[in-house]
Each structure stands twice: as C-alpha cells, then as structure tokens.
Amino acid sequence: MARNRRYTVPLKRKREGKTDYRSRLKILSSKKTRLVVRKKTNVIIAQLVQYIPKGDKVIVSAATTDLKKLGWSYHINNLPSSYLLGYLLGYKARKYKIKTAIFDIGLHSSLKGNSLYAVLKGAINAGLEISVNEEILPTEERIRGKHIEEYALKIGNSEKYKKQFSGYIRQNVRPENISKSFDEIKKNIESIQNG
C-alpha cells in the first residue's frame, strides 16, 4: 500500500464503500455478540456474529427465504416477513444460549420503522436483550401487515389490484389475509423451535 507523509491509501473495503471502520470498531469494543442484518435486493439476512481475532464467526443465521419452509407464501422483503425473520433468529439463538446482542446494520440507512428494525423487534420479542429506543421500531399493526390489508381492500378487485398483487395471486394467497398467515407462521416458529 502506498504511503508517504502526506497521503495514506485507505483500506480496500473502505475505498469500495463496504465497511465503516470507525463504526465497526465501536461495535466490536462492546465485545457483545452482534445481530447483523443485511438487506439484499429480494431477501433479508440476519446473523448472530461473534468477533474472534481470525475474523468474524457466524453463530446463527437465517434468511427470509427460510420462512417459505414454514409456510409463508407472501413477499419475503416486507415488514411482516422481516419481523418473522427476527423472531425465528431469536428462537434459534436460545439453542446457543445467546441472550444479549448489539444491533449492527452496517452501511444501511437508519430509517424509523423500516424492515431492518422489524427484524430487531422480532428478535427482541423472541427473547434477545438488545438495547434500542422503542420509538424507532415499527408499530404492531404494520408488523402484522395491516397496512397491506387496508391498501388491498381500498383498491378492491381492480386492475391496479391485479398488477400490484400479481405475485400473491400466482401463489394463490390474498393480501387481505396476511395478518392471519402472519399469526400462523409465528406459532409455527414457536412450536418448531420449542419442540
């Protein structure tokens, strides 16, 4: 790496915009397990990660695609699926006796009530102790998908409805029933992880 008195080339991951080393150092200095949440184009991934000198060690991992195995037929990148992901990860953490964690969203923007915070709320409700300001978490109604139900009822059975919810129609599910399905998947997670 080129260095002189006036200039030091930044580390590769910093140059590529993949890592904020100041933020990472603050999180690592807590020496707690990290709840790492990363949002991809059509999937959300959550992991419980511990730092070791050789590199990060993933203890538990889950993705919204795992919800399909539990019977989730709706979109896997919305608030209800994000919450269920956090809930699933929180239950998996019990097997490894992980009780506390620190939240790590990396370079994602911190927006009040977004899907990253839905994952956090799910993990907290499943029993993980994570320090957070409650005001930033999404409301219970949005977590259960009530906003999706209300919008589907508002636009009725129009062309806009068919276009907006074409994926749901292909899966043979109705957006008006998302909160009912949400409750069923939540019970499935509890029964599978406890059984």
Side-chain angles (χ1 to χ4, degrees), residues 71-112:
W72 184 255
S73 301
Y74 294 92
H75 190 54
I76 56 170
N77 199 0
N78 58 16
L79 283 177
S81 62
S82 301
Y83 174 89
L84 291 170
L85 170 65
Y87 201 68
L88 175 64
L89 191 78
Y91 266 89
K92 283 184 172 185
R94 293 179 182 190
K95 290 184 179 178
Y96 296 89
K97 295 182 172 66
I98 298 172
K99 294 179 181 175
T100 61
I102 189 165
F103 193 50
D104 178 2
I105 58 172
L107 297 174
H108 292 294
S109 298
S110 177
L111 300 170
K112 181 179 178 180

Side-chain angles (χ1 to χ4, degrees), residues 4-122:
N4 66 32
R5 290 180 193 163
R6 293 184 185 166
Y7 182 73
T8 301
V9 176
L11 296 170
K12 184 179 178 183
R13 288 189 62 85
K14 184 175 182 179
R15 284 194 318 261
E16 293 174 349
K18 292 181 178 177
T19 303
D20 179 353
Y21 284 101
R22 280 190 186 148
S23 174
R24 180 174 165 79
L25 187 60
K26 282 181 188 175
I27 291 171
L28 294 180
S29 65
S30 71
K31 296 184 180 173
K32 287 185 180 178
T33 301
R34 292 177 291 143
L35 169 57
V36 178
V37 182
R38 298 295 181 260
K39 194 172 181 176
K40 306 295 181 190
T41 305
N42 224 3
V43 68
I44 298 173
I45 300 164
Q47 300 172 322
L48 288 170
V49 180
Q50 289 179 338
Y51 172 76
I52 55 174
K54 291 182 180 178
D56 290 347
K57 181 182 177 185
V58 177
I59 309 300
V60 185
S61 182
T64 48
T65 51
D66 298 340
L67 299 174
K68 290 182 177 182
K69 297 170 193 165
L70 297 168
W72 184 255
S73 301
Y74 294 92
H75 190 54
I76 56 170
N77 199 0
N78 58 16
L79 283 177
S81 62
S82 301
Y83 174 89
L84 291 170
L85 170 65
Y87 201 68
L88 175 64
L89 191 78
Y91 266 89
K92 283 184 172 185
R94 293 179 182 190
K95 290 184 179 178
Y96 296 89
K97 295 182 172 66
I98 298 172
K99 294 179 181 175
T100 61
I102 189 165
F103 193 50
D104 178 2
I105 58 172
L107 297 174
H108 292 294
S109 298
S110 177
L111 300 170
K112 181 179 178 180
N114 73 0
S115 56
L116 301 174
Y117 289 112
V119 175
L120 175 61
K121 187 168 185 172

